[in-house]
Amino acid sequence: MLRYLNRCSGGRGAWLLLALTAFALEMTALYFQHVMLLKPCVMCIYERCALFGIMGAGIVGAIAPKTPLRWVAIVIWLYSAWEGVRLAWEHTMIQLHPSPFVTCDFAARFPTWLPLDKWFPSVFVASGDCADKVWSFLTLSMPQWLVGICAAYLLVAVLVLIAQAFKPKRRDLFSR
């Protein structure tokens, strides 16, 4: 399996699939926000940024999968998936154990050199409350689903990282 993951990480298809799945999740989030009129909170915006990081890792990996740029993509993928799990877990705890002493910020804090909330307000401006459960499916809220989704991204990223040590076998027409 690890040799297979190594071979996949050397091609564009797997990286584009990674980017496509993250893009689909982003489009789902925007559907919830703009069509279903669910207000995203600050934690939702940060979780969205983690998914954009995973999508960016897929794009970076697809650019040149057989070069050292693949290592950059794996690092971005690992970091973004880890942050996604961490943020979604924190958001889940806020929802499961609401407290007036543990709340999220009123607005997302982006670096001054990357003011995403100013550049793309329809995507990165928060207006909801982190403790509100505004949507659920199969009894799980949105951040609970994201814990599982980002954990799956993280697990696959770790396996792909480990797989880099296993060189794929060269197939020969006459060997068994």
Side-chain angles (χ1 to χ4, degrees):
M1 178 182 81
L2 292 174
R3 290 184 197 280
Y4 175 74
L5 287 175
N6 185 307
R7 194 170 62 242
C8 286
S9 70
R12 283 190 171 84
W15 291 106
L16 290 173
L17 180 63
L18 176 68
L20 183 67
T21 58
F23 179 75
L25 289 169
E26 293 292 350
M27 291 299 102
T28 302
L30 291 174
Y31 175 83
F32 285 149
Q33 179 180 352
H34 295 292
V35 177
M36 293 178 65
L37 302 177
L38 302 179
K39 296 178 181 178
C41 66
V42 171
M43 293 299 289
C44 295
I45 299 300
Y46 292 153
E47 291 156 6
R48 215 176 259 189
C49 290
L51 285 173
F52 273 117
I54 293 169
M55 185 171 61
I59 293 168
V60 168
I63 289 172
K66 295 188 186 303
T67 68
L69 197 57
R70 172 171 58 180
W71 288 99
V72 173
I74 291 171
V75 169
I76 294 169
W77 184 7
L78 284 165
Y79 176 74
S80 298
W82 173 258
E83 282 298 305
V85 170
R86 187 187 66 76
L87 290 164
W89 179 259
E90 184 180 334
H91 192 181
T92 298
M93 291 301 108
I94 289 172
Q95 284 188 347
L96 292 178
H97 310 290
S99 167
F101 304 109
V102 179
T103 61
C104 57
D105 295 333
F106 291 111
R109 289 178 285 155
F110 292 108
T112 55
W113 55 270
L114 189 69
L116 294 174
D117 54 340
K118 306 284 187 282
W119 294 346
F120 307 105
S122 64
V123 178
F124 294 107
V125 169
S127 57
D129 182 11
C130 293
D132 289 345
K133 291 183 191 176
V134 295
W135 178 88
S136 68
F137 179 67
L138 299 176
T139 71
L140 296 176
S141 67
M142 220 175 290
Q144 289 172 319
W145 279 103
L146 272 177
V147 168
I149 290 167
C150 290
Y153 276 130
L154 182 60
L155 174 65
V156 174
V158 168
L159 290 174
V160 168
L161 177 65
I162 293 169
Q164 300 310 300
F166 294 85
K167 297 298 177 200
K169 289 182 182 177
R170 291 189 52 99
R171 299 237 172 194
D172 191 353
L173 182 62
F174 299 105
S175 67
R176 281 192 160 246

